Amino acid sequence: MKVGLVLEGGAMRGMFTAGVLDIFLDENIHIDGAVTVSAGALFGINLPSKQRGRVLRYNKKYLNDKRYMGLHSLLTTGNIVNRDFAFYELPYTLDPFDQQTFAQSDMDFWVTLTNVETGEAEYFKIQDAFEQMEVLRATSAMPFVSKMVEINGKKYLDGGIADSIPLQKCFDLGYDKVIVVLTRPLEYRKTPSSKTLFKLFYPNYPQLAARWAQRYADYNQTVERIIKLNDEQKIFVIRPSESLNISRLEKDPEMIQRMYELGLKDGKAAIAGLREYLAK
């Protein structure tokens, strides 16, 4: 039996995911592979590296540091999340990512990117986080406030544009049991986004604009599928039990803490049911 894990993005809403995954570490929940996107990738990669608490620690420490993310970074670098600081200085030296433990893990770790030429999702397997840091950067390169990331001659943006919840990819990889961690409560559905604004920003990428216009419908369809599969006990879903008013680029350390603690609470509450699901 192979256990797969799907991690939704959502920028700082991903602190919920960080809390859930820290409970997985506490409870020794075995995962064979993860398919992740955006913040789900950046925060989720600390599961196979077994770095409990790291996501909360570095975010609270650097949240209001102008070198990390925000308007200063956007105006000076073109990226709202600072490339050099967030993806190189921080994981290399300030709060080191444990690549050795990650490499020794038997968990496959996939991240989702959006190809800007085709508007389609592409999936990359991470084997060395440091060597593939640009892939991790691309999966979380939010439109409008991030430069495109070039990898092997192709340009990419946030994987959430093309595949916000990469459930089907997890099935395609052959996992028998699938755990889905969402960052929105049960009642949430997306509404249409502005097509005009996207076309103004990306006039040379019509396939990307078309995907953006369709994104809300794709997301809502996937959510309905997840609800159905969860009701049929074919997958196991963990989602926030309450809605917290947290912004994508939250600057309040107390709100970050609350979102993380909600993940701890909901993750712990789900363990008994999760073990039962995995044992079937």
Side-chain angles (χ1 to χ4, degrees):
M1 180 185 73
K2 291 175 62 181
V3 179
L5 175 66
V6 176
L7 301 179
E8 183 182 12
M12 283 301 168
R13 291 196 311 274
M15 293 306 303
F16 175 82
T17 303
V20 171
L21 298 185
D22 280 354
I23 292 296
F24 283 14
L25 286 172
D26 292 346
E27 298 289 337
N28 295 311
I29 300 298
H30 177 77
I31 306 293
D32 293 291
V35 188
T36 68
V37 60
S38 198
L42 301 187
F43 296 169
I45 201 168
N46 294 277
L47 177 64
S49 71
K50 295 181 170 56
Q51 289 178 278
R52 191 192 194 285
R54 178 174 179 265
V55 174
L56 179 67
R57 181 174 65 241
Y58 76 71
N59 273 292
K60 288 186 72 174
K61 185 172 183 179
Y62 297 108
L63 202 59
N64 289 295
D65 190 319
K66 69 178 183 179
R67 296 173 298 169
Y68 185 28
M69 64 178 183
L71 186 59
H72 179 268
S73 177
L74 180 62
L75 294 176
T76 57
T77 72
N79 292 302
I80 200 157
V81 178
N82 188 287
R83 174 188 183 273
D84 292 340
F85 183 82
F87 292 93
Y88 289 92
E89 187 174 354
L90 198 160
Y92 276 78
T93 59
L94 297 178
D95 197 326
F97 177 74
D98 190 345
Q99 169 58 34
Q100 183 176 357
T101 299
F102 175 83
Q104 291 170 347
S105 168
D106 59 358
M107 185 191 306
D108 292 335
F109 195 85
W110 296 83
V111 302
T112 309
L113 280 61
T114 299
N115 183 313
V116 300
E117 294 283 357
T118 66
E120 297 297 324
E122 295 183 15
Y123 307 90
F124 289 72
K125 186 178 179 181
I126 301 295
Q127 295 175 312
D128 188 313
F130 293 133
E131 290 185 2
Q132 296 174 279
M133 193 61 74
E134 290 300 284
V135 176
L136 291 167
R137 194 165 74 86
T139 190
S140 58
M142 293 181 285
F144 307 122
V145 291
S146 305
K147 293 180 179 179
M148 295 176 182
V149 180
E150 187 169 323
I151 300 167
N152 299 328
K154 298 179 182 180
K155 293 179 180 179
Y156 297 93
L157 280 173
D158 195 311
I161 299 171
D163 195 356
S164 296
I165 309 173
L167 175 66
Q168 185 57 50
K169 179 63 177 178
C170 195
F171 285 136
D172 292 344
L173 289 168
Y175 293 101
D176 308 293
K177 297 283 187 174
V178 175
I179 307 164
V180 181
V181 180
L182 303 177
T183 58
R184 295 283 198 179
L186 179 63
E187 65 276 7
Y188 176 79
R189 300 294 183 276
K190 283 192 184 300
T191 55
S193 302
S194 171
K195 302 175 187 177
T196 304
L197 181 62
F198 205 90
K199 288 178 179 178
L200 285 173
F201 263 81
Y202 304 106
N204 299 321
Y205 300 96
Q207 298 302 319
L208 183 68
R211 174 63 70 177
W212 178 259
Q214 181 66 23
R215 180 175 179 244
Y216 81 98
D218 291 340
Y219 180 90
N220 294 342
Q221 184 178 22
T222 301
V223 167
E224 296 299 337
R225 184 186 182 197
I226 285 171
I227 291 171
K228 181 175 183 292
L229 291 173
N230 187 57
D231 288 344
E232 294 170 350
Q233 299 184 4
K234 293 179 179 177
I235 63 174
F236 189 90
V237 180
I238 303 174
R239 55 161 55 88
S241 59
E242 59 183 282
S243 181
L244 296 182
N245 188 27
I246 185 170
S247 69
R248 292 182 63 84
L249 298 173
E250 183 63 57
K251 290 290 188 178
D252 183 356
E254 291 185 9
M255 181 58 74
I256 292 293
Q257 182 76 38
R258 285 181 62 195
M259 197 70 179
Y260 172 78
E261 289 179 355
L262 182 62
L264 291 179
K265 184 188 80 170
D266 290 347
K268 196 164 187 178
I271 289 298
L274 176 57
R275 291 196 189 280
E276 183 180 347
Y277 165 74
L278 295 176
K280 287 182 181 177

